[in-house]
Amino acid sequence: MRFPICTFDAKVGVLCPKCEERLNNGEITEADVKASFVLAKIASQVPALDKLTLKRAYKVGDDYVLVFNQGEARIVLTNRQIMNKLREALGSVWVTERSSDPRQFLESLLYPIRLLTVNIVWLPDGTRHIKAIIAGQETSNLPVDLNKVKEIVRIVMGDEVEFEFERARRSKKSSVARVS
């Protein structure tokens, strides 16, 4: 497994002078270091992690957001053993992948919720606003905290995201059609 810090440092749990300097310069964060230490320990027990690369780790409130290479998040998300060990060591953990496509990024964060479509509006100041349409209807027992996802997207990607549910959209359209 590859990490934002030296592989040797991740395995022994201590930073070398070079990684210590990178931490002090802001190239890596405390979250990168802690997540690397934890993942190195888990990788020694779970061979499925050997081929993965942790690109970055973010601390968002009390949660950790782990960003892997493109196509690797699903390996972690679908392996219950890995997710349980991550939660034991780090607490609340969100897993996603580095991608220039906001849809892939959101799909990883929202897993197992199904995302229908993502619309992006570019604002005059160069920022973008993302509107994501989720399959089904809004319920009080969603498996994912959408407010936390909004915060993660804002911190990691620098974008604002708004969620809308498919069934809510259909009922609005049908009520408008009936009035006409």
Side-chain angles (χ1 to χ4, degrees):
M1 180 159 191
R2 289 174 294 288
F3 308 98
I5 63 174
C6 302
T7 303
F8 180 78
D9 292 0
K11 289 181 180 179
V12 297
V14 178
L15 292 179
C16 67
K18 181 179 175 185
C19 287
E20 188 71 45
E21 183 178 332
R22 290 178 58 217
L23 178 63
N24 293 335
N25 291 339
E27 293 176 45
I28 58 175
T29 64
E30 287 288 340
D32 289 325
V33 174
K34 183 167 183 178
S36 297
F37 291 165
V38 168
L39 279 165
K41 186 176 179 181
I42 295 171
S44 67
Q45 303 163 357
V46 182
L49 289 174
D50 285 343
K51 296 178 182 168
L52 304 183
T53 301
L54 176 68
K55 297 301 281 183
R56 289 301 305 250
Y58 296 88
K59 183 97 162 117
V60 178
D62 293 333
D63 301 353
Y64 279 87
V65 179
L66 306 180
V67 182
F68 289 90
N69 269 346
Q70 192 166 352
E72 296 179 349
R74 185 74 64 201
I75 295 167
V76 177
L77 286 168
T78 57
N79 188 318
R80 193 171 278 168
Q81 179 186 14
I82 295 171
M83 288 303 295
N84 287 339
K85 288 180 184 267
L86 284 171
R87 286 186 185 114
E88 285 174 18
L90 298 173
S92 181
V93 176
W94 298 79
V95 176
T96 189
E97 55 192 38
R98 175 65 66 201
S99 175
S100 59
D101 180 14
R103 180 183 181 96
Q104 287 180 328
F105 187 81
L106 283 169
E107 282 179 336
S108 298
L109 288 175
L110 292 171
Y111 180 83
I113 296 174
R114 194 167 62 98
L115 193 58
L116 290 178
T117 188
V118 173
N119 300 315
I120 302 172
V121 175
W122 289 91
L123 301 175
D125 64 356
T127 60
R128 39 184 204 182
H129 183 80
I130 301 169
K131 185 174 187 178
I133 314 264
I134 296 172
Q137 64 186 17
E138 186 171 10
T139 63
S140 60
N141 59 350
L142 283 173
V144 175
D145 180 356
L146 295 181
N147 290 325
K148 187 58 90 170
V149 173
K150 288 179 183 181
E151 186 178 356
I152 291 169
V153 169
R154 186 178 48 75
I155 290 171
V156 175
M157 294 181 68
D159 297 321
E160 296 297 322
V161 66
E162 174 186 339
F163 293 106
E164 193 172 298
F165 287 84
E166 169 193 32
R167 297 257 166 75
R169 289 175 51 104
R170 286 185 183 170
S171 63
K172 286 179 189 175
K173 287 179 183 178
S174 62
S175 65
V176 171
R178 289 181 200 153
V179 172
S180 306

